[in-house]
Each structure stands twice: as structure tokens, then as C-alpha cells.
Amino acid sequence: MIRSMTGYGSAKGEAAGLSLSVELKSVNNRYLDVSVKLPRALLFAEEPIKKAVAAHISRGKVDVFVTADASGGDSVEVRVNTALLRGYMDALTKVRDEFGLTDDMSLMGLCRMPEVLSTERRELDADELTAGLLGILEQALAGYDAMREREGEKLRDDVLSRLEEIGRLTGIVEQRSPQTVAEYRARLEQKLREALEGLPIDDARILTECAVFADKVAVDEETVRLRSHISQLRGMAEGASPIGRKMDFLIQELNRESNTIGSKCQSADIARVVVDLKAEIEKIREQIQNVE
């Protein structure tokens, strides 16, 4: 199944007390280029994420975005400065006794004293977080691959229809090419008759000239190779990804053969067919720029 290089996927989940969100999107690129945007606290997961993405994708410009929400209580620990609290209590008791004040010490009042309570983020478990994050990434990649396959199916259908047209045009060239030699012989005989004005015509010389011309304009090898490349491209389109680079190479070969036919042809009809042929090849080339 052909896969497009353009896609999007996302997933959410939890790991090590954090709520995590992963998004990835990609566009065309000749090679694989993975960019990962992570919160500073999760930078240790960058390389594992890149390796996981590379296992799914062979080429394309891929951006991965990871966000983390640590607002849950599990990630924060509240600490009590017991020594300081005792110091406050001793000092307040001394003031009460010395000045005969009413003892109105309360829990909430003491907790409001400076630095009695402090919060500290729980240290993150890198291994646990990485494992959880990669699991969420796999979910995002599953959706991403599904989207790429849907796009790839459209690309495949378009490529196959254009290959069918290229095959039809190649058939016209194969049919029209021998007629070019026959037309050349007829024109040559006509010119000789006009030039010799009734004198005998050397049939052997005409045959020799026609043979030289036929060899010069023969496109049998080119059309055979065209059909071979068409067959290979059809097989690739029905096969598994990644095949974008191979298809790109074969399209170059198709274009080369069509250029050769165009340079050899001595017929305006074939020249017009070659123009159509090259137009279809160019349309396929544009499409496979988005094939993985």
C-alpha cells in the first residue's frame, strides 16, 4: 500500500503522574527529518522518540509536539519544616507567658507562618515517563499511518490511471512508427521521379536509403523499455511502502525514453503523442513527490 508523506496524528495519556499529549505532522521531504518539541523536563525522551518515529517513517519532514500537564497533586509534594514550626511555637509561647496574652495559636495560623510549608515537585522517573510517552506516541503514529494510507490510496489510483494512459500512448507510437518509414519511402520515390523525369529509378538505392532512415528513427527499444518501466511502476503502486524513491527513479527513466523517442521521430503525429506522453509522466512525477 502506497503511503503519503503528508499526515497527522495525535493521542493523549498519562505516565508517572503527568498528563501527556503527543501530536505529529509531516510534509514532503527528500529524506527523513524529525524535529521533536518537548518540555524542558522531558528532554531526556528526545532520542527515544526520534527512534520510534524512524521505525514508522522512511522519509518526510516530521514535527512531533509533546505537552505535559503537571497540575495533578501526584506530581507535587508538600513538606513541613518541623524545626522551624517548633521554633515558632516556642517563641509564641514565650511571648504569651511573658506578657500574659491569650493563647490563640491555631493550626491554620501556624501554617501561614513564613516557610513553615513548602512545595516540591516530585522527581520524575525518566524510564517510566519514557515508556509511557512512547506508548502514547505509538497511538498517535497509528492514527497518523491510517491517514497516510488513505491519502496513499488516492495517489495510487491516480498513478495507475496515468500509467494506463501512458501505455495507450506508447501503443500509438508503436503503431505509427513503421508508417513513418513507409511514408518516407513514398516521399523519396516521388522526389526521385520528379528529379529524374522518367528515367529508371535505382530500387536498391531506395532500399538502402530507407534502411538507413528506418534504423535512425526506430524506437522499438525505447517503447520496450517504456512498457517495462510501466509494468514495474504498476507493481510498486500495488506493493508495500516505502517505494517513493524507486518510483522517482523510474519516472526519470520514463522521461528519458520519451525524450529519445521525441528526438528520433520524424512525424508530426508522433511528436504530438510524445508531448502528451511527457505531460502524463510529469503529472505522475508531481504525485510521487508525496509518496513515502
Side-chain angles (χ1 to χ4, degrees):
M1 170 64 71
I2 284 181
R3 284 180 174 177
S4 168
M5 277 193 283
T6 302
Y8 173 84
S10 65
K12 294 181 179 181
E14 292 189 2
L18 296 180
S19 294
L20 300 172
S21 174
V22 177
E23 290 182 276
L24 66 153
K25 63 179 181 178
S26 65
V27 294
N28 303 356
N29 198 52
R30 188 172 181 182
Y31 304 105
L32 178 61
D33 181 9
V34 182
S35 174
V36 182
K37 305 294 190 302
L38 285 162
R40 184 179 296 275
L42 302 181
L43 289 178
F44 55 79
E46 181 174 356
E47 284 306 313
I49 289 175
K50 286 185 176 181
K51 289 180 180 178
V53 170
H56 279 258
I57 308 168
S58 64
R59 67 173 185 161
K61 175 70 173 67
V62 186
D63 291 311
V64 182
F65 303 92
V66 178
T67 57
D69 181 5
S71 59
D74 289 345
S75 62
V76 179
E77 183 177 351
V78 179
R79 296 182 178 275
V80 180
N81 191 332
T82 305
L84 182 60
L85 177 59
R86 185 175 291 108
Y88 279 129
M89 293 178 67
D90 291 345
L92 291 172
T93 300
K94 183 178 179 181
V95 171
R96 180 201 64 189
D97 294 344
E98 183 173 348
F99 295 97
L101 299 174
T102 302
D103 188 346
D104 60 352
M105 278 191 294
S106 66
L107 175 63
M108 292 304 295
L110 289 171
C111 288
R112 291 193 182 98
M113 302 300 285
E115 300 183 15
V116 170
L117 298 180
S118 62
T119 58
E120 184 174 311
R121 292 206 175 275
R122 182 166 55 84
E123 186 176 348
L124 298 175
D125 187 323
D127 293 337
E128 183 182 357
L129 261 174
T130 300
L133 186 55
L134 291 179
I136 298 169
L137 176 63
E138 286 295 325
Q139 297 176 36
L141 283 167
Y144 168 78
D145 285 340
M147 179 177 178
R148 293 198 299 147
E149 287 175 2
R150 289 193 298 270
E151 292 295 320
E153 188 174 353
K154 296 176 183 178
L155 290 172
R156 181 200 62 191
D157 292 344
D158 186 72
V159 168
L160 288 176
S161 67
R162 297 194 184 283
L163 287 174
E164 191 70 27
E165 178 64 9
I166 290 173
R168 187 187 72 83
L169 294 171
T170 302
I172 295 175
V173 172
E174 291 169 332
Q175 182 181 14
R176 189 72 184 82
S177 184
Q179 297 176 14
T180 303
V181 178
E183 291 170 357
Y184 174 77
R185 176 169 181 166
R187 290 197 305 271
L188 181 61
E189 288 181 351
Q190 179 65 29
K191 289 181 179 179
L192 286 174
R193 287 192 182 93
E194 292 175 357
L196 296 176
E197 296 180 350
L199 294 176
I201 298 175
D202 187 350
D203 291 334
R205 182 61 184 272
I206 291 177
L207 288 173
T208 301
E209 289 292 335
C210 288
V212 171
F213 178 77
D215 183 64
K216 180 180 178 182
V217 300
V219 293
D220 297 21
E221 294 182 6
E222 286 77 12
T223 57
V224 167
R225 284 194 291 267
L226 272 177
R227 292 200 177 277
S228 174
H229 298 331
I230 291 169
S231 176
Q232 291 182 69
L233 283 166
R234 281 200 185 103
M236 289 180 182
E238 297 290 359
S241 289
I243 40 80
R245 291 178 184 174
K246 292 180 181 179
M247 292 185 80
D248 189 52
F249 171 75
L250 282 176
I251 287 299
Q252 293 179 41
E253 293 301 305
L254 279 178
N255 200 50
R256 182 177 291 111
E257 301 302 340
S258 64
N259 283 335
T260 303
I261 292 172
S263 65
K264 284 185 173 183
C265 74
Q266 300 289 324
S267 164
D269 292 339
I270 294 181
R272 284 191 289 270
V273 173
V274 169
V275 170
D276 293 338
L277 188 65
K278 293 178 69 173
E280 292 299 321
I281 293 172
E282 178 61 21
K283 290 173 184 175
I284 293 180
R285 189 193 68 79
E286 291 175 356
Q287 288 288 47
I288 65 172
Q289 297 308 305
N290 196 36
V291 174
E292 183 185 11

